[in-house]
Amino acid sequence: MRPNNRNREDLRPVTLEAGVSRYAEGSCLSKFGGTHVLCTASVDENVPRWMKGSGKGWVTAEYGMLPRATHSRNNREAARGKQGGRTVEIQRLIGRSLRAAIDLTKLGERQIILDCDVMQADGGTRTASITGAWVALSQACDKLVEQGLITETPITDKMAAVSCGIVDGECRLDLEYIEDSNAQADANFVLTETGGIIEVQASAEDVPFTAAEMAELTRLAAKGIEELCKMQAEALKS
Amino acid sequence: MRPNNRNREDLRPVTLEAGVSRYAEGSCLSKFGGTHVLCTASVDENVPRWMKGSGKGWVTAEYGMLPRATHSRNNREAARGKQGGRTVEIQRLIGRSLRAAIDLTKLGERQIILDCDVMQADGGTRTASITGAWVALSQACDKLVEQGLITETPITDKMAAVSCGIVDGECRLDLEYIEDSNAQADANFVLTETGGIIEVQASAEDVPFTAAEMAELTRLAAKGIEELCKMQAEALKS
Amino acid sequence: MRPNNRNREDLRPVTLEAGVSRYAEGSCLSKFGGTHVLCTASVDENVPRWMKGSGKGWVTAEYGMLPRATHSRNNREAARGKQGGRTVEIQRLIGRSLRAAIDLTKLGERQIILDCDVMQADGGTRTASITGAWVALSQACDKLVEQGLITETPITDKMAAVSCGIVDGECRLDLEYIEDSNAQADANFVLTETGGIIEVQASAEDVPFTAAEMAELTRLAAKGIEELCKMQAEALKS
Amino acid sequence: MRPNNRNREDLRPVTLEAGVSRYAEGSCLSKFGGTHVLCTASVDENVPRWMKGSGKGWVTAEYGMLPRATHSRNNREAARGKQGGRTVEIQRLIGRSLRAAIDLTKLGERQIILDCDVMQADGGTRTASITGAWVALSQACDKLVEQGLITETPITDKMAAVSCGIVDGECRLDLEYIEDSNAQADANFVLTETGGIIEVQASAEDVPFTAAEMAELTRLAAKGIEELCKMQAEALKS
Amino acid sequence: MRPNNRNREDLRPVTLEAGVSRYAEGSCLSKFGGTHVLCTASVDENVPRWMKGSGKGWVTAEYGMLPRATHSRNNREAARGKQGGRTVEIQRLIGRSLRAAIDLTKLGERQIILDCDVMQADGGTRTASITGAWVALSQACDKLVEQGLITETPITDKMAAVSCGIVDGECRLDLEYIEDSNAQADANFVLTETGGIIEVQASAEDVPFTAAEMAELTRLAAKGIEELCKMQAEALKS
Amino acid sequence: MRPNNRNREDLRPVTLEAGVSRYAEGSCLSKFGGTHVLCTASVDENVPRWMKGSGKGWVTAEYGMLPRATHSRNNREAARGKQGGRTVEIQRLIGRSLRAAIDLTKLGERQIILDCDVMQADGGTRTASITGAWVALSQACDKLVEQGLITETPITDKMAAVSCGIVDGECRLDLEYIEDSNAQADANFVLTETGGIIEVQASAEDVPFTAAEMAELTRLAAKGIEELCKMQAEALKS
């Protein structure tokens, strides 16, 4: 049985609270069970140097974790003087995923920076980040429309992310930490509301898994992401 | 008149919520008006190398600010590859202040690391950090007693911190950002509940100020800190 | 039509030359068309600190690119003082993939470091790296057996890697640079000889793609990897 | 009794030698007993980027210590690749203090950089640095006037710095190392010649101290600084 | 007797293969026995900032070694986050040497960057680098002439480099690693085809050596370099 | 004519003052005209890790320059976060040179670190450093003998260093900055009192120079170094 009697096809209790930051143009506190990520979207009227004059905008992301977001304390990356490989990998994934859901030309020559900071971690921090960051990004885009800086939202797709994995031989949706650390395979999906693929990353832990298992993981992810997209829409309404 | 009709001798609305972190041995969400700092205390059974075998413990602090804790986004220190001078200065102040309120011999050969992460900044982040960190530290010490690792709390003093400053020629308690950025002088006090001095840092902005003004700032600080110490005690009770 | 009249299901001309390094315990010069990667395997009798006493070994990888491996010169990472995000992401992928194909307990408490250095780049450097690194790793393991340090090879799976992508609406195997830079989707597969999944990473470029397209890319990859595994076996024989 | 039979209200033998550097626009070798600091002021016609076009100038400071300025050798910060927390804290204090004694608008859009390098350390290096740096800064300003680049000196205050502390329960002026390392409290004062407060930093070591003790430390500092300001004037005359 | 029955006045078997890089404007694979260095010349139409507007060009070099170019693996400099002292010393030598053989005014305001990457090391990597880099540089200059960007080659001298040393009391040309590591003295010469001195670096290992020995080492170097210059000319012809 | 009517075979006025540091085991303030270098020798009872248990000692050097040692201010290496290439090259030269003049076995398993810090620069800082560092090293060794830690000095050679160069077609001894910056060739010699070669580094600036010129530079250096060795002996006596 899963922790908290969860069914293998069920998400954890998820809450998405938009507009939590006093200063940011867009924000969302994204909670997937015990995983809590604060996502903010900051509009910057400067684009990176290599984009200047292109007439196009840019979306990028940074990811961090508070030192005591986890069971035992992790050293602070700022104190160590560099971001770890895992951090770099995750923030590149977040940025790439969101850029696939926005029309950078419609955004105009400006940049939106998404900061995803994990307050508390219990598995699935990267997917909770992407799901919350999309809300923050949407809110920031709406604000640009309100301010008359652009005429319509550049968001092209409703999308969210979720992890799946194979635990005790069973394909499960939205792993929490205790499951994740015992999984035979672990996969992260970024899909549109209707199941279009934006990004898939799947890894076997010790033993390869089959294409049939991969298909089942994909089915679970599509189910979960459809639900998440509804919650995102709710969060943006209120 | 001050913002929000505050009297010059008044603190902002302060809340101290202890035990907010699922994993940390001690924690406190410290809010001074719009300034919100999450403070966690992590017990580490290893001391720094230069203390090994001394039989004494250590208390240290790290400080950080989320990139969008402020009006405009600050670059992430982990991405820049180093902590800024202001960060280093503040975290040294936090650690030094708390070490003055604890008996390191009674702590035993272990380390407590205080992480103070600013979620939202509106002036006085270092004093909100110290005030909250003392709560987190006390909680962590109580836990060590509960676990039988030490026989009594090594905390020796009730203490807190507050900023004061001279704005429009008037000495004021607990400046918020809009005041701080226009202050003629700015001072941070770390005092015990009964007004004993642990740390004082005062700076003139453009024009030197007088010893009489310094005395008035100290009086205000003692008043505010007495109130804060009561709130700390309340926070630890619940 | 693809460059060089290649069929969409065809690999580029591939050569895998084992034993090219005078000093390394294992090595392979892996060429996928114009992409040339020198892979070496170095046996290190020390494991990382966190593994000491575990009785298990470790496999890790580092990736680099000569500054002029590409059309225009890239700055040297050693001179810039840090590895870029892309480099970190790739070397983590290489290490993770190879660890899934080896029994770390049978390796004994020692480490094998795989260095994949790109001499010339024309797309697919990470998959050429993994394919060549597996040959180098196998050779190094065989050498440990020869030396009597272990009794049998710890390699558990025959595996290789290849990229696929959607270009001009067509699913294609083993993209070269000119295709990759115009692809609608780009996927990297690490599979066993018999199609077991070790790692899949797929990204949409601008527009999401479908599960059906994903299935076709997977089929192409399995076909290509079966061929690559035969070439690896040949390379190890000679 | 204090070392060298010093009275508790006495400075150590102090010498301030202006104009010691062949190249710098201003310079002072500042000796407080066994503490020797070489202070140079370098005029730079460029201001930091964030000040460009403001019409105002800037004053900043850097602090360093030769590796063998102390009893045992300290690692060279340039070799370690970063300035330590103590260094950063001190150089920020020096810069802030001197900016409070100069009219940046009168300086014109240029920068003066103060380098304070400790040749030999015996306590009070930061206060010897500030006292000497003020001389170097004054000399550099006089040179700008001589060269006709500005019409009058932008220096607004005569100021100096000194440390005080509580040792063996006694308030003392200008601690040397052996006293400093045993002090119950340690305070650094930057004051004008007439006792105006520019910067105060006071720390309890183990036990909090009282407001009355703080007042006595302040009185001692004002006495010492009055003497130091006379010596600065002498140094600038010759 | 020397390894491989080499005479003390003999070079190792040397091959210089020009044009080995698909992308670089000039390139040479330089092999001195078991020492293999890939040298590429990259033309960059930007000069360093301090040269802008000077009308003159610049030539600079970077040096690197693959981690397993040597008997035991060296840590990757990009991963360590800095280039080692030996690397910095060598690349400065390469750049300085080549700048002495070119007329920077004739080059025009552009930069040529020479990358010397050691694939395999068996002594004399810096001299093999310089010898190969001159070929790559010449080829790049010829290309600039062909493209009509300059009217004649800016190369002013035919030059090459070789190491010499005193081993077992005997002066020898072109040391390989086993000799180098037992040498009483080690010298690197960069000379023109006719023996003009561009750069000499000679070091005693334990015991000083004499001016007469220095003269003999110089004679051997001139002999070797004359031969190398002929091979360079051959390499450029084909 | 040379500056200050110096003859081409003359050293600048040189003073070597031993024992200038209160704390260091050996020290020398080395002045060659306007070039002033403070050299200290620090005995460290720990050797680098790779030498532990070897029974042999180690001698190493670090070099630095105060930011305003030169006409215009140089950025502080500690603030930039790395030592420049020139610094690294020089400190390696100093260390290597001194190791050739000492018997590391007789030193015992301990390390002597030479810090050479340039207070003021007017050409020839590296040779003034070596000449002064030998005095500091000798003094530190004598102290080890005095303390009974070793039975006799491990110093094996009297040695010093000087620069020579070709200026206006003339070979000259001990260049000062104005000469050095216009030299056709520049050479640094580290020789024993009797002319034995420890280290030679010679570079042509624009045009190669001849073996005959090299011989003349060597003769001048030997003359100068003989004089310097006498001054070193004097400095150690007093």
Side-chain angles (χ1 to χ4, degrees), chain F residues 7-217:
Chain F
N7 189 293
R8 76 174 190 84
E9 305 207 353
D10 288 351
L11 292 171
R12 287 176 282 180
V14 172
T15 63
L16 300 171
E17 189 184 352
V20 292
S21 161
R22 180 196 277 203
Y23 306 118
E25 284 75 24
S27 62
C28 179
L29 179 56
S30 170
K31 296 187 180 177
F32 281 49
T35 292
H36 304 174
V37 186
L38 178 58
C39 308
T40 58
S42 297
V43 175
D44 178 352
E45 291 296 322
N46 297 299
V47 288
R49 208 176 323 168
W50 51 272
M51 291 197 76
K52 287 217 170 118
S54 69
K56 290 174 60 177
W58 190 243
V59 171
T60 189
E62 288 186 4
Y63 171 91
M65 210 184 245
L66 294 191
R68 199 55 196 276
T70 44
H71 279 85
S72 59
R73 185 177 182 274
N74 288 299
N75 288 329
R76 188 178 288 268
E77 291 186 325
R80 273 186 295 174
K82 62 183 262 189
Q83 295 181 299
R86 182 182 166 278
T87 295
V88 168
E89 198 175 287
I90 292 176
Q91 66 192 13
R92 283 167 61 87
L93 170 64
I94 300 171
R96 205 164 57 228
S97 296
L98 289 165
R99 283 194 296 276
I102 194 168
D103 182 332
L104 293 172
T105 304
K106 283 195 185 157
L107 178 56
E109 200 167 312
R110 58 176 60 82
Q111 186 177 207
I112 300 184
I113 303 166
L114 294 150
D115 286 291
C116 299
D117 284 275
V118 179
M119 306 285 111
Q120 193 174 283
D122 188 23
T125 63
R126 75 190 75 189
T127 46
S129 293
I130 294 169
T131 301
W134 185 88
V135 173
L137 178 64
S138 299
Q139 209 178 36
C141 288
D142 290 348
K143 191 157 186 188
L144 287 171
V145 174
E146 269 173 49
Q147 295 175 316
L149 290 165
I150 53 177
T151 53
E152 56 172 336
T153 184
I155 300 283
T156 53
D157 286 287
K158 295 179 181 180
M159 56 86 104
V162 78
S163 80
C164 297
I166 309 177
V167 185
D168 297 335
E170 182 184 76
C171 292
R172 295 183 182 173
L173 178 64
D174 188 21
L175 304 189
E176 55 200 81
Y177 177 74
I178 190 74
E179 297 177 307
D180 193 28
S181 56
N182 291 297
Q184 287 95 56
D186 177 33
N188 293 290
F189 292 87
V190 187
L191 306 179
T192 64
E193 191 173 22
T194 55
I197 297 172
I198 288 176
E199 183 97 18
V200 177
Q201 294 194 343
S203 304
E205 207 45 54
D206 282 317
V207 181
F209 58 99
T210 66
E213 287 168 321
M214 184 70 190
E216 173 60 4
L217 296 174

Side-chain angles (χ1 to χ4, degrees), chain C residues 38 64-69 73-79 117-119, chain E residues 20-21 24 27-31 34-42 61-69 76-78 83 86-87 90-91 94 113-121 124-126 128-130 132-133 136:
Chain C
L38 179 58
M65 209 184 248
L66 294 191
R68 199 55 195 279
R73 187 178 182 273
N74 289 298
N75 288 329
R76 188 177 289 267
E77 292 187 324
D117 285 274
V118 179
M119 304 286 110
Chain E
V20 292
S21 161
S27 62
C28 180
L29 179 57
S30 170
K31 297 187 180 178
T35 292
H36 304 173
V37 186
L38 178 58
C39 308
T40 58
S42 296
E62 288 186 4
Y63 171 91
M65 209 184 245
L66 295 192
R68 198 56 196 277
R76 188 177 289 267
E77 292 186 324
Q83 295 181 298
R86 181 181 167 279
T87 294
I90 292 176
Q91 68 192 11
I94 301 171
I113 303 166
L114 294 151
D115 287 290
C116 298
D117 285 275
V118 180
M119 305 285 112
Q120 192 174 283
T125 64
R126 76 189 74 188
S129 294
I130 293 169

Side-chain angles (χ1 to χ4, degrees), chain D residues 64-84:
Chain D
M65 208 184 246
L66 295 192
R68 199 55 196 278
T70 44
H71 279 86
S72 59
R73 185 177 183 275
N74 289 298
N75 287 330
R76 188 177 289 268
E77 291 187 325
R80 274 186 293 174
K82 62 183 260 189
Q83 295 180 299

Side-chain angles (χ1 to χ4, degrees), chain B residues 59 88 128 149 200 204 224 227 238:
Chain B
V59 171
V88 169
L149 290 165
V200 176
E227 291 169 38
S238 47

